[in-house]
Amino acid sequence: MNRLTRLIIFLIGLAGMVVTAVLIAITYPLGRVTEVVVTYLSQQPWVLQSLVILSLIVFVVCTLMVLVSLLARPKTRALYITTPVGSIRLSQAMIEQTIFYAVQEKNLLKQPQISTRLNSRNQAVYARISGGVIPTARLVDASRELQLYVEQQLQQLLQIEKVQVEVLINERQEEKKNKQVPRVI
């Protein structure tokens, strides 16, 4: 969750808690309440009870929103590597493209899908590669080689020390046949 989303959720939750407190203070007679509200609430006690229950539910929901906004970790979209000369920014898209080209060089997966998760605190990359398999005799060894090759490419080209790669191989899906051929009966 990025910082702007967290800030918006925090402000909405805070506003909801304030509104709920005001709603309880107005609907529940805690001192000076207008004559209209007092007479209406004395005639309809179920309205008071339902407003108090509704305001408690809203308060709990808004409190959870504030906690989520404060405790959620922001999503990392880039790694920053510091060098003696300056800082280098490695974006998530660039890391995914590097993995994609490494997968294409090994030619094991058909239509690979790559998802990465970056950890800026540990300078680590967690990658998940999935796709249909191109027929090969030694599938386990080939996928292990692919995993090691992707890790090596990220360590050599981008100088990322902590890399964890997971390869998921899906069943090979047959391509759809062209159904425009006339049927002979």
Side-chain angles (χ1 to χ4, degrees), residues 5-123:
T5 307
R6 290 174 61 191
L7 179 67
I8 289 171
I9 290 175
F10 177 78
L11 292 176
I12 289 172
L14 197 60
M17 289 191 307
V18 170
V19 167
T20 303
V22 170
L23 179 65
I24 290 174
I26 289 174
T27 57
Y28 198 79
L30 296 174
R32 300 166 117 193
V33 182
T34 61
E35 294 295 323
V36 175
V37 173
V38 171
T39 57
Y40 185 75
L41 291 178
S42 63
Q43 294 171 358
Q44 306 288 336
W46 64 272
V47 174
L48 176 65
Q49 294 169 354
S50 63
L51 284 175
V52 169
I53 290 172
L54 179 66
S55 64
L56 287 175
I57 291 171
V58 170
F59 182 78
V60 168
V61 168
C62 291
T63 303
L64 289 175
M65 287 175 65
V66 168
L67 289 176
V68 165
S69 71
L70 291 176
L71 299 177
R73 290 186 355 204
K75 184 177 179 182
T76 305
R77 297 182 192 271
L79 289 179
Y80 293 93
I81 298 175
T82 55
T83 63
V85 180
S87 179
I88 299 173
R89 180 180 183 269
L90 301 174
S91 70
Q92 185 174 8
M94 194 248 327
I95 293 171
E96 287 178 357
Q97 275 198 331
T98 304
I99 294 171
F100 181 76
Y101 289 131
V103 169
Q104 290 296 326
E105 286 179 17
K106 283 296 182 179
N107 196 23
L108 177 66
L109 298 177
K110 182 178 182 181
Q111 297 174 346
Q113 297 174 351
I114 299 164
S115 62
T116 58
R117 194 179 76 225
L118 308 178
N119 189 342
S120 60
R121 188 178 316 141
N122 296 335
Q123 296 294 317

Side-chain angles (χ1 to χ4, degrees), residues 137-156:
R138 45 186 195 89
L139 191 59
V140 175
D141 292 335
S143 58
R144 189 174 302 134
E145 287 175 14
L146 174 67
Q147 183 178 5
L148 291 174
Y149 184 70
V150 169
E151 288 177 2
Q152 287 175 350
Q153 288 295 317
L154 287 177
Q155 289 172 353
Q156 287 176 356

